[in-house]
Amino acid sequence: MTPPLLGVEGDGQGNVSLMTSASTMESIFQKNPGLTERNYMGLSDCSSVDSSVVSGISEVKRNNLNLRATELRLGLPGSQSPERDADVDNASSESLDEKPLFPLLPSKDGICLGSQKTFVSGNKRGFSDTIDEGKWMFSSSGTDSDASKTSVQGKISAVAQPNMTKDATSKMMPQEQSHGTFGTNLNKVNASNPPASKAQVVGWPPVRSFRKNILATNSKANDEVDGKPGPGALFVKVSMDGAPYLRKVDLRSYTAYQQLSSALEKMFSCFTIGQCGSQGAPGRESLSESKLRDLLHGSEYVLTYEDKDGDWMLVGDVPWDMFIGSCKRLKIMKGSDAIGLAPRAMEKSKTRN
Amino acid sequence: MAYSFPEEVLEHVFSFLASQKDRNAVSLVCKTWYEMERWCRKRIFVGNCYAVNPRIMIRRFPEVKSVELKGKPHFADFNLVPEGWGGCVYPWIVEIARGYPWLEEIRLKRMVVTDESLELISKSFKNFKVLILSSCEGFSTDGLAAIAANCRNLRVLDLRECEVEELSGHWLSHFPDSFTSLESLNMACLSYEVSFSALERLVSRSSNLKTLRLNRNVPIEKLSILLQRAPQLVDFGTGAYSSEIRSDTYSSLAEAFSGCKKLKSLSGFWDVVPAYLPAVYSVCSQLTSLNLSYATTQSPDLSKILGQCHNLQRLVVLDYIEDTGLDTVAMSCKDLRELVVFPSDPFVADANVLLTEQGLVSVSEGCSKLQSVLYFCRQMSNSALISISKNRPNLTCFRCCILEPRAPDYLTFEPLDIGFGSIVENCKQLTRLSMSGLLTDRVFEYIGTHAKKLDMLSIAFAGDSDLGLHHVLSGCESLRKLEIRDCPFGDKALLANTSKLETMRSLWMSSCSVSFGACKLLGQKMPRLNVEVIDERENLDSIPEDAHVEKVYIYRTVSGQRPDMPDFVRTMGKDKDEVYNLS
């Protein structure tokens, strides 16, 4: 079975998979008047996928192609480009009905890969909005550089080095120059963003939670002198107001609030985790009441947890280890509902500190 | 010619046909054979519980003794299917209880099984013998208690990786003293302690017990007692394999193991204390299956065991085994058919163990019977994949998961297209493939061209365009299950291959580029496909048609829309009235 070509005549490369140069791509689009480029992202070119084999970083022409191919996304589409909303309306209404069931022409009219995740988040403030404000992380310290890089769509550049951490996913290019095919940006990205600990993608790697449980407790057990089993896996349910489903997360698979935050981010799209508190360094950086109030009024949702005493607390007040020791359940509440928690949170942290 | 054979003869001939595929083929020959076959079919396998409804099944096959059902899509294992999606077995149990009062076996996978269902099972089938629940959830130990108390002829109670709400450990004590028919008990996934004396008595009076897989809570000191009560065991799973080192514990354990002359399979080994491992040395050479994937044992200790397992056919380990351990396997386990290597610390960026692609290459060289591989690693190269494919053209199942999405060939930085392409080209009997790493449309072209026997394909973070998906759908003739996440595949490929979708059991696509409009169109054009969009956003009705769905699950069915969809699941393109045709 030979796949139909792009309908480009005179292009010596008879095999789609051999299309290696950007200019070929460009010419294909120009030769196909029937195709209209769709520009969902406000980017200059909307080209088809560059299926080039990356032979070297230098060879890849980054800037000509709108390499949507590279807008590879991890995990659930949890974030959205603000521009997308506008473009959705402008998008061609050439609906699918017009071309049903026709043999696939690999001309990618309008198929800008990966960019089409329209998450019209309705009334909720999109992730991107919060990102820009840089206020979406729990902790204000340490990994902020990564936080700010974690802009909008969670797009990543393809990873060239296997050691590249998951956080590479959040090292995305600003939209204006979405570029880079596989492995090209890596150096650039790496230089600017030192790899931090991995943020988790939902369901990746494909290891069952059951197994993760065991591993978590086993590794804890290894630290213990007499080999007794550790305290047990720490899967807690996460519910969200207004959402019909809940999820479970293994708190032991994170080591900081930031990781938890980004994982939940990916699981529950279209919501905001407000900055709920400091890293809980004892005696310092305690959440000021006014700061908390700003936070709660500013964001739509906050992350709360039920602790061992049955009280609902804001996540982020206490040191991470203390948190996972006392957290029984997580809940993503509307900010307005969580306001009542603030005083209690303040009190509790005061008594703790 | 059919009428020249008396029915009894035909029935006798058919009784030799075990495989469902063969039976299905036979039933298509002519009406007589269809009738004959349907009356004597004893086992039914329903790969998707929503593809057919139980009344149809019962009407066609009145004499069934064993039913096997699967519910949720495979990616549910990785939290990609929201809770409440469906897959509840209760409606099936109600119908089966009515239609098959003499049912003996129920096997369920990825289904929601409530205590109510278990109670109904325990009370409805007088001759009930086998209950196997794989990756199921929704029930508690109360349900297990009902099974234990009421199923007088139970032979197999096998809970594989289920999520059980554990209210107590007393359920085991509900097996009456008169109950002696147990052959297989697997409670490894439970964590509550059961009464050891009840367990011991159960084991003692079950002279046919062949499989016993304990849960973590059974201490190592007690293992020897159980093994002495059941030296006929073939399959044994320990509990926590750790304790203070005590010579009497060790020696009684070693002695007990050496008394198990029929032991072929070992598992368990939570919290292993390496000093206790040599207790199993006496049975190593008998073992055909060894699961050490809960044992955080380091490579040298693993190698000592594996070096003695000359008859091993199936090995499941953690990546602590490292390349050196796999070299030992390659040298010592010449009968190996299946290798599974799980990651010990999947979320850490840097490798915590010295396990690379080399270990797999080594095993592929040394183990000539290797057919099935599930391998988690941090780096892979095209040359390694090519070597593996050339070493082992007899591979039937190849699943390779490089932990970092889109990781390229670590030597050349190229995509892994030619590597995986080589796998499908050389391994002509390949029926299952999971790929990872950096992959372009090219690999899909290879797959479409060569993977003619491929039955199940799992793809993540791969491909460039619809062309990739099109290659697969148009080229893979035997494809029945396709699951895709985070790939830039969209409408065009789907709509160009609609008839293919009806030849498949199911297609899962999440975080891809499939639009609502395409799903609707597909659902409209293909009445026997359910195109279920799973989308948890609000205001779905105001989302434009060319917006992308979060997830779509497409499966063929003769039963119309299912009646139990939660809010976040919609069947696209169907009239609201066409619900679950029960007739």
Side-chain angles (χ1 to χ4, degrees):
Chain A
M1 172 218 82
T2 337
L5 293 183
L6 290 179
V8 174
E9 64 288 358
D11 183 5
Q13 297 166 322
N15 192 332
V16 171
S17 64
L18 290 179
M19 292 176 31
T20 53
S21 71
S23 55
T24 311
M25 285 297 186
E26 300 261 276
S27 64
I28 283 163
F29 273 101
Q30 286 145 19
K31 286 177 187 171
N32 266 300
L35 306 175
T36 47
E37 286 185 10
R38 213 67 55 67
N39 196 349
Y40 293 102
M41 296 288 298
L43 293 170
S44 45
D45 291 325
C46 183
S47 76
S48 65
V49 184
D50 177 359
S51 58
S52 64
V53 172
V54 175
S55 44
I57 292 173
S58 55
E59 281 192 63
V60 178
K61 299 171 177 61
R62 302 175 199 183
N63 298 315
N64 288 343
L65 299 183
N66 164 25
L67 297 176
R68 289 309 163 78
T70 70
E71 290 173 6
L72 308 170
R73 197 172 343 215
L74 286 190
L76 290 177
S79 40
Q80 175 206 352
S81 157
E83 288 90 333
R84 183 75 175 106
D85 288 352
D87 280 311
V88 162
D89 301 325
N90 298 336
S92 163
S93 57
E94 178 189 333
S95 73
L96 293 156
D97 288 327
E98 295 183 31
K99 310 181 220 169
L101 310 175
F102 68 100
L104 180 71
L105 287 182
S107 53
K108 331 280 189 287
D109 75 290
I111 296 183
C112 298
L113 309 170
S115 62
Q116 292 182 355
K117 299 257 179 123
T118 333
F119 296 121
V120 181
S121 52
N123 298 327
K124 298 196 175 103
R125 202 156 62 117
F127 177 36
S128 53
D129 302 332
T130 59
I131 278 303
D132 292 339
E133 297 171 32
K135 279 188 193 168
W136 65 288
M137 302 292 274
F138 288 121
S139 53
S140 47
S141 62
T143 44
D144 258 2
S145 59
D146 294 315
S148 55
K149 300 294 188 303
T150 314
S151 53
V152 189
Q153 286 131 31
K155 291 186 258 197
I156 64 159
S157 61
V159 178
Q161 292 167 17
N163 282 343
M164 184 72 153
T165 66
K166 269 293 192 296
D167 216 42
T169 71
S170 42
K171 293 169 192 148
M172 32 164 296
M173 282 55 68
Q175 295 161 26
E176 294 68 28
Q177 17 155 1
S178 110
H179 59 60
T181 40
F182 326 105
T184 56
N185 313 324
L186 190 61
N187 291 341
K188 181 168 172 169
V189 172
N190 252 343
S192 48
N193 305 300
S197 50
K198 285 188 177 210
Q200 287 182 38
V201 176
V202 175
W204 191 266
V207 173
R208 300 205 49 203
S209 342
F210 186 88
R211 180 158 292 284
K212 286 184 211 165
N213 264 337
I214 306 298
L215 291 175
T217 36
N218 257 344
S219 47
K220 196 96 167 103
N222 269 348
D223 298 334
E224 308 216 10
V225 176
D226 58 359
K228 287 208 200 97
L234 214 42
F235 267 78
V236 296
K237 294 195 174 179
V238 188
S239 60
M240 177 166 145
D241 273 354
Y245 60 93
L246 45 79
R247 289 260 202 272
K248 290 184 203 156
V249 290
D250 174 13
L251 291 182
R252 282 204 203 287
S253 54
Y254 310 105
T255 52
Y257 285 117
Q258 176 212 338
Q259 293 173 11
L260 173 63
S261 160
S262 49
L264 289 177
E265 193 80 45
K266 293 189 170 83
M267 282 184 204
F268 296 85
S269 54
C270 311
F271 79 108
T272 311
I273 299 181
Q275 184 182 36
C276 297
S278 64
Q279 282 200 314
R284 280 193 259 155
E285 291 183 78
S286 54
L287 197 58
S288 73
E289 298 206 20
S290 54
K291 199 164 148 200
L292 185 56
R293 235 175 273 127
D294 286 344
L295 154 76
L296 290 172
H297 286 253
S299 64
E300 297 220 359
Y301 291 89
V302 291
L303 186 61
T304 63
Y305 71 104
E306 184 182 1
D307 72 0
K308 282 192 168 130
D309 308 329
D311 295 326
W312 285 93
M313 315 281 288
L314 288 176
V315 171
D317 285 348
V318 299
W320 175 258
D321 288 328
M322 206 188 292
F323 165 64
I324 62 174
S326 60
C327 172
K328 279 187 2 197
R329 204 157 36 127
L330 288 166
K331 189 165 178 186
I332 302 165
M333 280 189 198
K334 289 201 161 71
S336 45
D337 294 339
I339 285 178
L341 297 181
R344 217 174 343 136
M346 294 311 303
E347 273 172 37
K348 265 204 167 172
S349 60
K350 275 174 194 154
T351 53
R352 283 208 189 106
N353 294 337
Chain B
M1 185 162 83
Y3 46 76
S4 63
F5 282 116
E7 284 185 0
E8 298 81 18
V9 175
L10 268 184
E11 190 178 329
H12 185 67
V13 171
F14 290 169
S15 70
F16 291 99
L17 296 173
S19 112
Q20 178 131 311
K21 258 189 177 172
D22 289 341
R23 287 205 155 243
N24 290 345
V26 146
S27 65
L28 292 174
V29 167
C30 64
K31 286 201 175 130
T32 310
W33 283 35
Y34 176 90
E35 280 300 311
M36 275 306 319
E37 196 282 320
R38 75 174 252 262
W39 277 100
C40 64
R41 184 159 333 191
K42 297 282 184 284
R43 325 182 69 100
I44 281 283
F45 168 73
V46 179
N48 174 6
C49 63
Y50 292 121
V52 67
N53 73 56
R55 286 193 199 173
I56 293 178
M57 175 183 80
I58 294 169
R59 198 174 61 216
R60 180 173 167 190
F61 300 109
E63 299 285 322
V64 161
K65 293 281 187 293
S66 159
V67 173
E68 182 173 351
L69 297 176
K70 292 190 180 179
K72 299 187 203 172
H74 173 232
F75 275 177
D77 285 354
F78 316 124
N79 291 335
L80 289 180
V81 176
E83 286 199 27
W85 173 85
C88 189
V89 80
Y90 189 72
W92 278 83
I93 303 298
V94 167
E95 295 293 337
I96 291 172
R98 209 179 341 212
Y100 297 141
W102 295 105
L103 190 77
E104 295 177 3
E105 305 181 359
I106 292 180
R107 292 171 170 81
L108 304 175
K109 188 165 186 179
R110 277 186 218 105
M111 296 200 78
V112 176
V113 181
T114 54
D115 282 345
E116 220 183 354
S117 306
L118 290 177
E119 277 155 36
L120 191 53
I121 290 174
S122 76
K123 302 208 166 115
S124 309
F125 308 110
K126 298 287 172 269
N127 209 19
F128 194 65
K129 294 184 179 152
V130 173
L131 182 63
I132 299 181
L133 303 177
S134 285
S135 308
C136 293
E137 53 168 357
F139 60 101
S140 77
T141 42
D142 286 351
L144 294 179
I147 295 286
N150 299 322
C151 299
R152 299 297 161 87
N153 296 311
L154 193 70
R155 296 200 187 151
V156 174
L157 178 58
D158 190 343
L159 306 173
R160 299 177 189 172
E161 301 188 355
C162 292
E163 266 187 50
V164 183
E165 193 190 343
E166 299 195 56
L167 305 172
S168 82
H170 289 142
W171 64 272
L172 189 82
S173 310
H174 285 253
F175 283 113
D177 290 336
S178 54
F179 171 69
T180 58
S181 51
L182 196 64
E183 293 176 11
S184 170
L185 176 62
N186 176 5
M187 47 184 226
C189 64
L190 300 179
S191 48
Y192 271 46
E193 204 174 332
V194 298
S195 149
F196 184 77
S197 56
L199 177 60
E200 189 189 343
R201 285 196 312 273
L202 178 63
V203 169
S204 302
R205 65 179 187 271
S206 306
S207 52
N208 288 326
L209 193 67
K210 303 273 188 316
T211 297
L212 179 62
R213 295 196 182 184
L214 304 171
N215 69 357
R216 201 169 177 170
N217 248 296
V218 178
I220 194 173
E221 294 87 353
K222 303 267 171 78
L223 292 186
S224 49
I225 302 173
L226 293 174
L227 287 174
Q228 279 154 15
R229 300 271 178 271
Q232 76 282 4
L233 281 177
V234 173
D235 182 329
F236 182 62
T238 74
Y241 205 72
S242 65
S243 173
E244 289 171 18
I245 316 295
R246 293 180 46 166
S247 58
D248 52 349
T249 310
Y250 177 88
S251 52
S252 36
L253 189 57
E255 199 180 320
F257 269 119
S258 64
C260 296
K261 304 290 184 207
K262 299 194 178 164
L263 198 60
K264 290 229 158 77
S265 169
L266 269 183
S267 58
F269 298 104
W270 284 277
D271 317 314
V272 165
V273 162
Y276 277 108
L277 281 175
V280 307
Y281 281 178
S282 58
V283 294
C284 281
S285 57
Q286 298 163 204
L287 292 179
T288 55
S289 169
L290 181 57
N291 186 335
L292 289 167
S293 62
Y294 297 115
T296 52
T297 318
Q298 302 300 314
S299 181
D301 293 311
L302 288 174
S303 291
K304 284 194 204 128
I305 295 184
L306 293 169
Q308 304 181 51
C309 295
H310 302 295
N311 289 308
L312 203 63
Q313 295 179 12
R314 180 170 190 260
L315 175 63
V316 186
V317 280
L318 288 173
D319 56 9
Y320 287 127
I321 194 173
E322 300 191 332
D323 289 345
T324 48
L326 290 175
D327 287 338
T328 306
V329 171
M331 276 193 314
S332 311
C333 308
K334 292 301 187 190
D335 211 19
L336 196 71
R337 319 279 163 101
E338 183 180 351
L339 175 68
V340 176
V341 180
F342 283 119
S344 52
D345 216 340
F347 300 114
V348 151
D350 298 319
N352 57 327
V353 290
L354 291 170
L355 181 102
T356 68
E357 81 285 2
Q358 223 16 74
L360 183 56
V361 173
S362 198
V363 174
S364 75
E365 279 163 12
C367 302
S368 63
K369 298 196 188 160
L370 188 70
Q371 286 178 320
S372 173
V373 171
L374 170 55
Y375 199 76
F376 284 82
C377 54
R378 285 190 161 82
Q379 64 186 43
M380 188 48 70
S381 66
N382 283 312
S383 56
L385 288 169
I386 293 171
S387 298
I388 292 166
S389 72
K390 292 196 168 137
N391 291 336
R392 294 276 63 78
N394 49 329
L395 283 175
T396 53
C397 169
F398 189 73
R399 296 194 278 161
C400 178
C401 179
I402 306 161
L403 291 177
E404 186 63 41
R406 301 192 189 91
D409 179 326
Y410 76 101
L411 297 169
T412 64
F413 294 110
E414 296 189 358
L416 291 169
D417 299 337
I418 34 178
F420 282 103
S422 182
I423 295 276
V424 293
E425 191 174 347
N426 290 331
C427 305
K428 303 206 193 309
Q429 303 303 316
L430 199 70
T431 50
R432 186 165 177 189
L433 177 66
S434 300
M435 307 187 293
S436 54
L438 186 62
L439 297 164
T440 72
D441 281 349
R442 203 162 154 204
V443 73
F444 298 110
E445 192 187 345
Y446 294 139
I447 291 174
T449 308
H450 295 288
K452 295 304 181 189
K453 297 256 174 92
L454 196 66
D455 174 278
M456 181 169 178
L457 178 63
S458 310
I459 311 170
F461 308 107
D464 311 317
S465 73
D466 274 281
L467 194 54
L469 179 56
H470 177 67
H471 282 310
V472 170
L473 289 177
S474 56
C476 296
E477 293 161 3
S478 311
L479 193 67
R480 284 183 320 117
K481 288 170 281 181
L482 180 57
E483 47 186 22
I484 303 172
R485 63 163 296 178
D486 294 274
C487 297
F489 299 150
D491 303 340
K492 290 204 146 72
L494 269 191
L495 295 176
N497 291 282
T498 56
S499 48
K500 172 69 176 175
L501 297 176
E502 245 191 39
T503 68
M504 293 166 56
R505 182 189 297 173
S506 65
L507 166 62
W508 168 280
M509 293 179 74
S510 57
S511 308
C512 297
S513 314
V514 180
S515 70
F516 283 92
C519 290
K520 196 160 127 190
L521 191 61
L522 188 61
Q524 282 166 350
K525 299 242 176 232
M526 307 293 291
R528 283 192 303 244
L529 285 183
N530 276 356
V531 182
E532 289 184 6
V533 166
I534 300 169
D535 204 309
E536 293 161 310
R537 290 171 283 180
E538 294 182 6
N539 307 323
L540 272 191
D541 295 321
S542 55
I543 290 187
E545 291 224 325
D546 56 355
H548 292 169
V549 304
E550 285 181 352
K551 306 171 189 182
V552 61
Y553 183 53
I554 302 169
Y555 58 90
R556 66 179 174 187
T557 179
V558 295
S559 293
Q561 298 179 61
R562 57 181 175 110
D564 59 351
M565 288 183 287
D567 298 347
F568 52 85
V569 178
R570 298 168 178 222
T571 309
M572 306 294 284
K574 306 266 192 277
D575 292 334
K576 292 228 163 69
D577 298 331
E578 263 180 54
V579 175
Y580 211 65
N581 179 10
L582 278 177
S583 62

